[in-house]
Amino acid sequence: CVLDNCLFVKEEDDETYLISLYVDDILVAGTDERKIEEIKHEFTTRYEMKDLGELNYYLGMKVTRTAEYVKLDQHRYCLDILAKYDYLLQGLENKNYSTPMERDLKLRKFESESMTDRQTDYAEQFPYQNIVGALLYLSINTRPDISYSVGVLARFSKSPTFRACKAVLRLLIYLRGTADRGICYSGDDLKIFAYSDADWAGDLDSRRSTTGYVVY
């Protein structure tokens, strides 16, 4: 697949077969179970492999299949992140947010120049890059609702400000209340709707515009 080097596609008559390969994790899907078994047999005759059966987890993503939908989520991954950085949320147990970021929040890289010594120490000790990196993997796979927030916060990875650190805490609190959310696929009709918009010179440091888009 030209859009994803880890995805291999084979179309045969009216049937389609997909192989997703990432290091030593392989996922095989297709329209004919008998053909899928043949593909897996070809692999096992050439390589030492183990068939783990029907898909439940893949690259940290949980797959739930019902008669109505297929759901992808990273509930366990979210809980691992929250457990690892629980010490940062001490005293915030009763806080809840329905959105991942404060509306119209404008962060500036030069805010560090006006921070107090206490705020500077807090930002320097804050595990900013580690948290944003973990959330980036989450936003790419199953949590598009945090994509914008993570994208904005990633701009401050090199030199996080006090307000940027607080924005990361808000995002963690949001995840605490929405850890089981994911992406659901249902129905057999493919109808795609796309919307896009952009602010005007919204970045206060570079005066660049930020484009946003959503696809249903």
Side-chain angles (χ1 to χ4, degrees):
C1 177
V2 295
L3 299 178
D4 189 340
N5 294 330
C6 297
L7 178 63
F8 298 85
V9 183
K10 180 179 182 180
E11 295 184 354
E12 194 173 73
D13 299 327
D14 294 331
E15 299 175 346
T16 301
Y17 299 94
L18 310 170
I19 294 178
S20 176
L21 175 63
Y22 188 81
V23 191
D24 59 352
D25 289 312
I26 300 176
L27 175 62
V28 183
T31 49
D32 187 334
E33 290 190 24
R34 180 184 56 81
K35 183 65 175 180
I36 292 175
E37 291 299 324
E38 291 180 3
I39 293 173
K40 291 194 290 187
H41 178 70
E42 286 290 326
F43 272 109
T44 55
T45 57
R46 297 174 183 232
Y47 308 102
E48 183 179 342
M49 303 177 66
K50 179 185 291 187
D51 185 357
L52 299 180
E54 186 173 313
L55 179 65
N56 291 306
Y57 281 93
Y58 186 64
L59 302 182
M61 291 177 282
K62 181 183 178 183
V63 181
T64 303
R65 295 201 289 182
T66 71
E68 292 78 28
Y69 63 83
V70 175
K71 180 184 178 182
L72 300 179
D73 70 74
Q74 289 172 279
H75 186 196
R76 183 185 297 176
Y77 182 74
C78 278
L79 296 182
D80 289 343
I81 294 174
L82 293 170
K84 184 175 182 179
Y85 299 107
D86 180 67
Y87 69 96
L88 296 172
L89 303 178
Q90 297 297 320
L92 302 173
E93 290 79 7
N94 295 325
K95 283 283 188 180
N96 290 291
Y97 295 109
S98 59
T99 57
M101 178 174 276
E102 180 184 346
R103 184 177 180 179
D104 296 327
L105 178 66
K106 298 295 184 182
L107 299 173
R108 302 199 64 176
K109 295 179 180 178
F110 297 111
E111 288 177 5
S112 57
E113 299 175 359
S114 59
M115 292 193 305
T116 65
D117 292 340
R118 185 176 181 180
Q119 291 174 338
T120 300
D121 291 341
Y122 182 87
E124 289 179 350
Q125 298 175 22
F126 195 88
Y128 194 93
Q129 290 184 351
N130 294 336
I131 298 177
V132 172
L135 297 180
L136 184 62
Y137 180 70
L138 185 63
S139 69
I140 289 174
N141 290 321
T142 61
R143 295 299 298 268
D145 54 323
I146 67 171
S147 294
Y148 172 77
S149 304
V150 174
V152 170
L153 295 173
R155 301 173 186 171
F156 298 85
S157 294
K158 186 176 181 180
S159 182
T161 64
F162 179 76
R163 287 210 307 150
C165 293
K166 290 298 184 180
V168 168
L169 291 184
R170 178 193 172 103
L171 185 48
L172 290 177
I173 293 172
Y174 169 77
L175 285 178
R176 186 174 61 190
T178 61
D180 60 344
R181 288 187 183 176
I183 300 178
C184 283
Y185 298 93
S186 62
D188 53 11
D189 293 328
L190 182 59
K191 296 180 180 179
I192 297 179
F193 299 91
Y195 303 89
S196 67
D197 197 5
D199 61 4
W200 179 253
D203 191 314
L204 299 180
D205 293 316
S206 66
R207 308 310 298 174
R208 292 176 178 174
S209 301
T210 299
T211 300
Y213 60 89
V214 60
V215 180
Y216 292 97

